[in-house]
Amino acid sequence: RAESVILTTGTFLRGMVVIGLEMHPAGRLGDQPSVGLAQTLEKLGFVVGRLKTGTPPRIAKESIDFGSLDKQTPDDPPVPFSFLSEAVWIKPEDQLPCHLTHTNPRVDAVILENLHLNSHVRETTKGPRYCPSIESKVLRFPNRVHQVWLEPEGMDSDLIYPQGLSVTLPAELQEKMISCIRGLEKARMVQPGYGVQYDYLDPRQIAPSLETRLVQRLFFAGQINGTTGYEEAAAQGVVAGVNASLRVRRRPPFVVSRTEGYVGVLIDDLTTLGTSEPYRMFTSRAEFRLSLRPDNADCRLTFRGYEEAGCVSQQRYDRAAWMKSSLEEGISVLKSIEFSSTKWKRLIPQASISTSRSLPVRCLVWGFLFLFLFLFFGFSPVPRTKLTTLRMPGRRFSSYESILLCQLQEIKEVQRDEALQLPADLDYWSLRDVSLSHEAREKLHFSRPPT
Amino acid sequence: MWRELRSLAAWGPRSLCTAPGATIFALSSGRGRCGVAVIRTSGPASRQALQSLTAPRALPRARRASLRLLCDPRSRAPLDRALVLWFPGPHSFTGEDCAEFHVHGGPAVVSGVLQALGGVPGLRPAQAGEFTRRAFAHGKLSLPEVEGLADLIHAETEAQRRQALRQLHGELGQLTRGWAETLTKALAHVEAYIDFSEDDSLEEGVLERADRDVRALEVALGAHLRDARRGQRLRSGAHVVVTGPPNAGKSSLVNLLSRKPVSIVSSEPGTTRDVLEIPVDLAGFPALLSDTAGLREGVGPVEQEGVRRARQRLEQADLVLAVLDASDLASPTSRDFLDSVVAPLASQDPSASSQRLLLVLNKCDLLPAEGPRLQPGPHPHLLLSCLTEAGLDGLLGALKKELAVLCGDPSTGPPLLTRARHLHHLQRCLEALGRYRQEADLALAAEALRVARRHLTQLAGGGSSEEILDIIFRDFCVGK
């Protein structure tokens, strides 16, 4: 008996693993699928769909000849993801590199000659628009070489994950195909690649808080909603977790708007439009991409997370507040620096500043100015320690500010429309005097958008 | 960094959107012969709009009609001497700052003012129902008014839909769609480069190709705008489409109404292939009269094409003149026409913006003087003979009534506003393309392209991000 339940079934709902022509029920290679759960969900009235995805084979690291391949070295210094960290825990030189290799016509040949042994690709389950497997790459973009990234599975693992090589050929043919690839001539395949088909539940049946409409206090997150990818699943998990606990505490739900973060774009796309292919996030999906940047994630989400969701620690909140006020302070100081346009022209001859006006010109080019003041004048309006931290966000801010002002207008309009709430029980079928096609009414009735 | 400087200068204060919310403007009165046309604005830039058009005079006192000389802010050319009203929010129709221009109703003046407004920064043409939407958002409408609002939006959307159809099929519509497709593809390629060039290998020259396509588009757009400004034939008026089965006398009727032989008339069915559009003066109202091919399952491919165009034109019509041969009502073609075309039109809700229908039985001179007459159905009809001109007065009277309703309805989107909208979006698109060219930061360049594309898709339709993704995955091998 739980107050709230979150279901993250991954690919386990009536999962079927496919290798070659062989199919057997499994959520993942070696694990049982969930059939009973799938049936229960269907009986409850949820609309169920079917998706398929795949994974590449795993190769033993010591059987690969890395010498002949391009190496991609990790970042030095590595930039931490978290705003709370000044540096990453690992020493730059201890990080592991990845290697790049390519397919070639012999690989294509192995695939093309054996399509009859490959049921996964042939089936009618609608594939995504992008290329999820090496077979689809070869079929859709023939006569080309395709990249294969060899990535370590873990710091201490001796397995290599060949990204780009998702495949469902029979295991022996996978080995043959691998041996055609440069660097992998003597590679030993430890685990074959395979495809998996699974049930997912149409995400238009859940609210933007990820709570289902049919069953209160039940939340869905991850591949069960039709997404693919770790980040996509993790984002939903966070939101579902937050909302599950808010529900228990009888607080209003925490919803991220698509103007506030990619999480919002993801959830809004899923709950409003649904998806027929495994949903992957791309920046092109976001209309306000310039406003949704990693460097301003704290401004966008940390404060809301602290005040509304209760999922932000005091330490993180304090750090975000400090960053915000320092940035504002620095920018207001810079904005207050006024020189005449002739003086500016003398200081920064490369900038195109019109000298026809004799009014003092506010400095436009803050990003440059940070560096300029720091280097050439040896002084800065804000303490030097702060300056280094703020330099990058400061520069980005100045480069984007004018465009962001315009986007802000758009964002406000979107947010104003979002504030117009539609009643949850609005009967779309009987609405008269509204020119909605039959198809539109059907879609609205099914997805019941809240705004 | 130096490039950042240059690109920042390129954005410039000119294109900074200083207003936090967009300000809209629209023609609020009807078209046709009106003495006074009312143009409204709503939004934070209304003050600036009013001031720049009435410069150097100060703002008039709030809610008092004042006489002002309106001039184009850029060229200082005088436009009209007009009554202006200034309604600072929240005591205005929409709750925002509003300005009203009561100008003389001639097309040249109205289009001049609309264009001048389009040039004021922060202003853009309103969409269907937008004024009412803003009024509603500011809590200015009560519940009964909201129900009236539903009617209004429905009417406006219907009319806009027809107007959009006309634009889409017109020459400009096709041109715009082609441009929008080019831009979508260029944008998709740039976005693919941003998203995938690191991990997945894209082909060489993706960005260069996009650059080339965008540059070609810039040139084409620039040329088009220059031509447009040199003055198009202002085609305004209600769209009256004459339709009916073959050989019913449609072309004769068109010739009669336009008082000169415009269409080719012959006794052979299937004479008219193309759709001819003739501006006429019908009972005092400007109208665009279209003669169409007789609707039937055509024989040859050319005639089939004519029928297809006729059906298309029918969808865009404001007023449908259905013409039947009075002596031939029992024939299958006639009955078919009555069922498939007349009946659905006749059963429509007779609100102002739905399509209106006039059913005309031509060749009544061939009917027997007495005896039972076949009835074409429940919809009222008029008897006419193009040959003897019997019944012509009755027809003109009926036309006058219908056109009075049509022309008095402001929501049928006068072509003047349409033209202003077109010019506005095309100009903004061209500006955005110029920014793309100067932009060194790829994300900012993509943004400029996105803005440019949005302006075009506002005219041509489409514009979702799914379209972009479709193209990215079609053109590039992007993996998992």
Side-chain angles (χ1 to χ4, degrees), chain B residues 45-55 59-60 84-86 99 101:
Chain B
S46 300
R47 171 189 289 266
Q48 196 192 352
L50 193 49
Q51 279 178 323
S52 43
L53 259 71
T54 58
L59 265 188
V84 301
L85 283 121
W86 165 236
F101 302 86

Side-chain angles (χ1 to χ4, degrees), chain B residues 18-288:
Chain B
T18 48
T23 301
I24 53 177
F25 67 91
L27 179 64
S28 299
S29 59
R31 58 179 170 167
R33 310 223 165 161
C34 29
V36 176
V38 176
I39 299 172
R40 277 192 298 181
T41 75
S42 170
S46 300
R47 171 189 289 266
Q48 196 192 352
L50 193 49
Q51 279 178 323
S52 43
L53 259 71
T54 58
R57 302 285 298 273
L59 265 188
R61 275 171 63 191
R63 286 171 271 279
R64 281 201 190 286
S66 316
L67 190 65
R68 290 277 187 276
L69 176 67
L70 297 182
C71 298
D72 186 305
R74 286 168 296 192
S75 64
R76 307 305 327 158
L79 294 167
D80 193 26
R81 199 170 283 281
L83 276 181
V84 301
L85 283 121
W86 165 236
F87 299 95
H91 303 295
S92 67
F93 175 64
T94 58
E96 300 174 327
D97 287 350
C98 290
E100 276 187 22
F101 302 86
H102 295 213
V103 299
H104 291 91
V109 170
V110 172
S111 77
V113 174
L114 289 174
Q115 251 187 280
L117 283 174
V120 176
L123 251 63
R124 65 164 169 83
Q127 290 166 350
E130 216 175 344
F131 279 92
T132 349
R133 215 153 50 112
R134 291 192 176 196
F136 175 61
H138 285 88
K140 288 278 177 177
L141 296 177
S142 65
L143 194 55
E145 285 164 323
V146 168
E147 282 166 354
L149 164 85
D151 283 336
L152 189 64
I153 291 190
H154 172 76
E156 285 181 342
T157 7
E158 265 310 296
Q160 285 269 348
R161 192 186 61 84
R162 276 213 305 285
Q163 179 75 312
L165 271 179
R166 277 202 281 267
Q167 286 170 27
L168 276 178
H169 289 128
E171 196 187 306
L172 182 62
Q174 283 174 354
L175 209 54
T176 319
R177 261 206 311 281
W179 291 334
E181 271 168 33
T182 311
L183 258 190
T184 305
K185 179 156 172 211
L187 179 60
H189 284 210
V190 171
E191 301 232 354
Y193 191 86
I194 293 177
D195 274 340
F196 304 117
S197 63
E198 282 180 349
D199 298 334
D200 302 273
S201 53
L202 297 183
E203 302 156 16
E204 299 290 316
V206 167
L207 284 186
E208 284 78 15
R209 267 204 305 276
D211 272 353
R212 265 205 319 270
D213 289 342
V214 169
R215 201 146 311 193
L217 184 57
E218 249 188 294
V219 169
L221 253 184
H224 177 88
L225 278 173
R226 274 193 303 277
D227 285 338
R229 251 173 272 153
R230 238 182 283 144
Q232 268 173 339
R233 242 177 24 246
L234 267 175
R235 301 168 70 114
S236 75
H239 285 243
V240 180
V241 174
V242 181
T243 180
N247 223 23
K250 300 184 292 301
S251 301
S252 312
L253 178 57
V254 167
N255 289 338
L256 189 62
L257 288 176
S258 56
R259 274 173 242 279
K260 57 182 186 268
V262 180
S263 307
I264 308 167
V265 180
S266 101
S267 52
E268 286 291 320
T271 316
T272 311
R273 303 271 196 256
D274 300 315
V275 179
L276 300 170
E277 205 172 74
I278 310 128
V280 291
D281 184 301
L282 280 180
F285 289 96
L288 285 172

Side-chain angles (χ1 to χ4, degrees), chain A residues 53-54 129 131 137 141 147 149 280 282-285 289 365 368 371 395 402-403 406-407 409-410, chain B residues 1 4-5 11 16-17 19-20 191 195-196 199-201 444 447 450 466 470 473 476-480:
Chain A
T53 184
R129 290 170 293 181
C131 292
K137 288 186 197 173
F141 294 90
Q147 285 183 329
W149 285 100
R280 215 184 120 178
F282 303 107
T283 59
S284 358
R285 293 196 196 266
R289 185 169 62 198
V365 195
F368 175 72
L371 191 60
R395 268 180 63 182
S402 44
I403 299 92
C406 292
Q407 272 211 342
Q409 186 180 319
E410 261 188 81
Chain B
M1 196 180 305
E4 279 173 29
L5 286 182
W11 275 91
L16 273 180
C17 309
E191 301 232 354
D195 274 340
F196 304 117
D199 298 334
D200 302 273
S201 53
L444 294 179
E447 186 60 31
R450 194 184 70 82
E466 289 302 309
D470 280 340
F473 298 131
F476 302 107
C477 186
V478 168
K480 215 161 80 124

Side-chain angles (χ1 to χ4, degrees), chain A residues 59-105:
Chain A
I59 305 176
K61 187 161 76 171
E62 25 85 35
S63 63
I64 299 178
D65 175 21
F66 292 107
S68 57
L69 304 178
D70 293 325
K71 184 155 85 160
Q72 194 192 46
T73 47
D75 290 343
D76 188 3
V79 176
F81 284 158
S82 170
F83 284 88
L84 291 180
S85 313
E86 296 286 342
V88 189
W89 64 272
I90 195 176
K91 290 211 288 276
E93 56 273 18
D94 291 341
Q95 297 175 108
L96 296 178
C98 292
H99 293 84
L100 177 62
T101 180
H102 295 87
T103 64
N104 51 57

